[in-house]
């Protein structure tokens, strides 16, 4: 199976920055795409940023110009640089990979989530 391990969340003041990291491990055949989602209390989980197997990037309108997604050459790590953070960015952030373990059909894998709190 595929495991996702996240780090980098925490408490930050408005206007500050955080960098989230996610590493995929396991006997992985392929990772088709990776991305970051977030979910605030009482709200639906939403896509924040994604990077495809071809290297193209997509961002939610609310974070364009502030957040940057990137990955390593092996496509098994993904990062989210978050700048100019706002209180409305407060949420649990989840790493997701659409991946195939060896001898398994592709499916979504999720990290455990990391809390990001933006508050003064």
């Amino acid at each position: 199976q595929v495991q996702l391990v996240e780090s980098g969340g925490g408490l930050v003041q408005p206007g500050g920055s955080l960098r989230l990291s996610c590493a995929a491990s396991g006997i992985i055949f392929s990772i088709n795409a990776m991305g970051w989602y977030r979910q605030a209390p009482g709200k639906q989980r939403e896509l924040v940023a994604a990077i495809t197997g071809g290297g193209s990037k997509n961002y939610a309108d609310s974070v364009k110009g502030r957040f940057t997604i990137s990955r390593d050459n092996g496509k098994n790590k993904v990062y989210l640089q978050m700048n100019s953070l706002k209180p409305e960015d407060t949420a649990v952030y989840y790493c997701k990979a659409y991946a195939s373990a060896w001898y398994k059909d592709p499916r979504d894998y999720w990290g455990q989530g990391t809390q990001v709190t933006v508050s003064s």
Side-chain angles (χ1 to χ4, degrees):
Q1 299 298 310
V2 178
Q3 296 83 41
L4 302 177
V5 180
E6 306 170 19
S7 62
L11 175 65
V12 65
Q13 295 184 1
S17 298
L18 285 173
R19 188 182 190 230
L20 305 183
S21 300
C22 175
S25 62
I27 310 302
I28 302 171
F29 177 72
S30 65
I31 298 177
N32 303 100
M34 299 187 74
W36 291 94
Y37 290 71
R38 67 186 181 188
Q39 187 168 26
K43 298 184 67 176
Q44 186 177 358
R45 187 174 299 186
E46 64 176 351
L47 173 68
V48 177
I51 185 164
T52 69
S56 63
K57 301 174 182 179
N58 299 288
Y59 297 95
D61 289 340
S62 60
V63 307
K64 285 182 179 178
R66 299 189 296 120
F67 291 9
T68 303
I69 190 170
S70 61
R71 67 182 183 186
D72 68 0
N73 290 333
K75 300 182 180 181
N76 62 348
K77 294 182 179 180
V78 64
Y79 306 91
L80 185 68
Q81 179 66 46
M82 304 185 294
N83 298 326
S84 302
L85 283 161
K86 305 174 181 179
E88 49 263 46
D89 295 318
T90 296
V92 177
Y93 284 71
Y94 298 90
C95 178
K96 190 188 84 171
Y98 183 65
S100 297
W102 279 103
Y103 306 110
K104 300 291 185 180
D105 292 331
R107 70 173 180 90
D108 288 334
Y109 293 87
W110 291 90
Q112 80 285 354
T114 183
Q115 177 71 47
V116 172
T117 302
V118 185
S119 177
S120 60

